[in-house]
Amino acid sequence: MVAPGERSPGGFRLRTGAEVRRPVLVRRLRPLGFCLEDVRRLLNVLGQLPDTGGPLPATGDQAHEELVTTLRKYWERADARGEDLRGELRAAEDFAGAPHGRLPRLPAASAASRKAVR
Protein backbone atom coordinates (compact mmCIF):
# COMPACT_ATOMS: atom_id res chain seq x y z
CA MET A 1 0.00 0.00 0.00
CA VAL A 2 2.95 2.32 0.60
CA ALA A 3 5.82 2.38 -1.86
CA PRO A 4 9.31 2.37 -0.38
CA GLY A 5 10.62 5.90 0.02
CA GLU A 6 14.07 7.33 -0.14
CA ARG A 7 16.49 6.79 2.71
CA SER A 8 18.43 9.28 4.77
CA PRO A 9 22.22 8.96 5.09
CA GLY A 10 21.55 7.21 8.42
CA GLY A 11 19.32 4.61 6.71
CA PHE A 12 15.95 5.93 7.87
CA ARG A 13 13.05 6.07 5.41
CA LEU A 14 12.13 9.56 4.30
CA ARG A 15 8.40 9.97 3.81
CA THR A 16 6.26 12.80 2.52
CA GLY A 17 3.14 13.86 4.41
CA ALA A 18 0.98 11.85 2.01
CA GLU A 19 3.15 8.76 2.52
CA VAL A 20 2.74 9.08 6.28
CA ARG A 21 -1.05 9.50 6.01
CA ARG A 22 -1.56 6.43 3.78
CA PRO A 23 -0.86 3.73 6.40
CA VAL A 24 -2.87 5.67 8.97
CA LEU A 25 -5.83 5.69 6.57
CA VAL A 26 -5.38 1.98 5.85
CA ARG A 27 -5.43 1.19 9.60
CA ARG A 28 -8.59 3.24 10.01
CA LEU A 29 -10.38 1.56 7.10
CA ARG A 30 -9.74 -2.04 8.15
CA PRO A 31 -12.07 -1.99 11.22
CA LEU A 32 -14.75 -0.50 8.98
CA GLY A 33 -14.77 -3.70 6.96
CA PHE A 34 -12.93 -2.51 3.86
CA CYS A 35 -10.89 -5.24 2.16
CA LEU A 36 -7.47 -4.48 0.72
CA GLU A 37 -8.90 -4.05 -2.78
CA ASP A 38 -11.37 -1.46 -1.45
CA VAL A 39 -8.51 0.32 0.30
CA ARG A 40 -6.47 0.33 -2.93
CA ARG A 41 -9.39 1.77 -4.90
CA LEU A 42 -10.07 4.44 -2.29
CA LEU A 43 -6.39 5.41 -2.13
CA ASN A 44 -6.41 5.65 -5.92
CA VAL A 45 -9.42 7.96 -5.85
CA LEU A 46 -7.92 10.09 -3.09
CA GLY A 47 -4.64 10.23 -5.00
CA GLN A 48 -6.45 11.82 -7.93
CA LEU A 49 -7.95 14.56 -5.77
CA PRO A 50 -6.01 17.59 -4.55
CA ASP A 51 -4.90 17.43 -0.89
CA THR A 52 -5.40 21.12 -0.27
CA GLY A 53 -8.97 21.52 -1.42
CA GLY A 54 -7.73 23.35 -4.51
CA PRO A 55 -9.08 22.91 -8.00
CA LEU A 56 -9.42 19.43 -9.45
CA PRO A 57 -6.94 18.31 -12.06
CA ALA A 58 -7.92 19.03 -15.63
CA THR A 59 -10.03 15.94 -16.28
CA GLY A 60 -13.32 15.57 -18.03
CA ASP A 61 -16.61 16.18 -16.27
CA GLN A 62 -17.42 12.47 -16.47
CA ALA A 63 -14.11 11.48 -14.83
CA HIS A 64 -14.71 14.04 -12.08
CA GLU A 65 -18.23 12.75 -11.51
CA GLU A 66 -16.96 9.16 -11.30
CA LEU A 67 -14.40 10.16 -8.67
CA VAL A 68 -17.03 11.97 -6.63
CA THR A 69 -19.50 9.07 -6.94
CA THR A 70 -16.89 6.51 -5.91
CA LEU A 71 -15.74 8.61 -2.97
CA ARG A 72 -19.34 9.15 -1.87
CA LYS A 73 -19.99 5.36 -1.93
CA TYR A 74 -16.99 4.72 0.31
CA TRP A 75 -18.05 7.53 2.61
CA GLU A 76 -21.57 6.10 2.91
CA ARG A 77 -20.22 2.60 3.61
CA ALA A 78 -17.85 3.94 6.26
CA ASP A 79 -20.66 5.97 7.82
CA ALA A 80 -23.02 2.97 7.93
CA ARG A 81 -20.35 0.69 9.40
CA GLY A 82 -19.47 3.35 11.97
CA GLU A 83 -23.11 3.43 13.05
CA ASP A 84 -23.11 -0.38 13.34
CA LEU A 85 -19.96 -0.25 15.46
CA ARG A 86 -21.47 2.44 17.71
CA GLY A 87 -24.49 0.17 18.25
CA GLU A 88 -22.23 -2.76 19.12
CA LEU A 89 -20.29 -0.55 21.53
CA ARG A 90 -23.51 0.60 23.24
CA ALA A 91 -24.57 -3.04 23.68
CA ALA A 92 -21.15 -3.96 25.08
CA GLU A 93 -21.20 -1.01 27.47
CA ASP A 94 -24.70 -1.95 28.65
CA PHE A 95 -23.54 -5.49 29.32
CA ALA A 96 -20.34 -4.36 31.03
CA GLY A 97 -22.25 -1.87 33.17
CA ALA A 98 -24.93 -4.33 34.31
CA PRO A 99 -22.86 -6.08 37.02
CA HIS A 100 -21.71 -2.82 38.61
CA GLY A 101 -24.86 -2.58 40.73
CA ARG A 102 -24.50 -6.16 41.93
CA LEU A 103 -20.74 -6.43 42.47
CA PRO A 104 -20.54 -4.28 45.64
CA ARG A 105 -23.10 -6.56 47.30
CA LEU A 106 -21.43 -9.84 46.26
CA PRO A 107 -18.37 -9.81 48.54
CA ALA A 108 -20.55 -9.02 51.58
CA ALA A 109 -23.04 -11.75 50.69
CA SER A 110 -20.18 -14.17 50.10
CA ALA A 111 -18.63 -13.39 53.48
CA ALA A 112 -22.00 -13.67 55.23
CA SER A 113 -22.70 -17.08 53.68
CA ARG A 114 -19.27 -18.34 54.73
CA LYS A 115 -19.94 -17.28 58.33
CA ALA A 116 -23.32 -19.04 58.25
CA VAL A 117 -21.72 -22.28 57.08
CA ARG A 118 -19.22 -22.34 59.98
Side-chain angles (χ1 to χ4, degrees), residues 16-19 21-22 43 45-57:
T16 65
E19 290 170 335
R21 288 189 298 272
R22 280 176 77 96
L43 290 172
V45 168
L46 293 173
Q48 295 179 54
L49 299 172
D51 281 342
T52 60
L56 288 170

Side-chain angles (χ1 to χ4, degrees), residues 34 42 66-80:
F34 290 99
L42 182 55
E66 287 173 9
L67 286 175
V68 170
T69 299
T70 302
L71 188 56
R72 185 172 285 122
K73 286 179 185 177
Y74 283 111
W75 181 14
E76 289 168 356
R77 279 181 58 194
D79 214 25

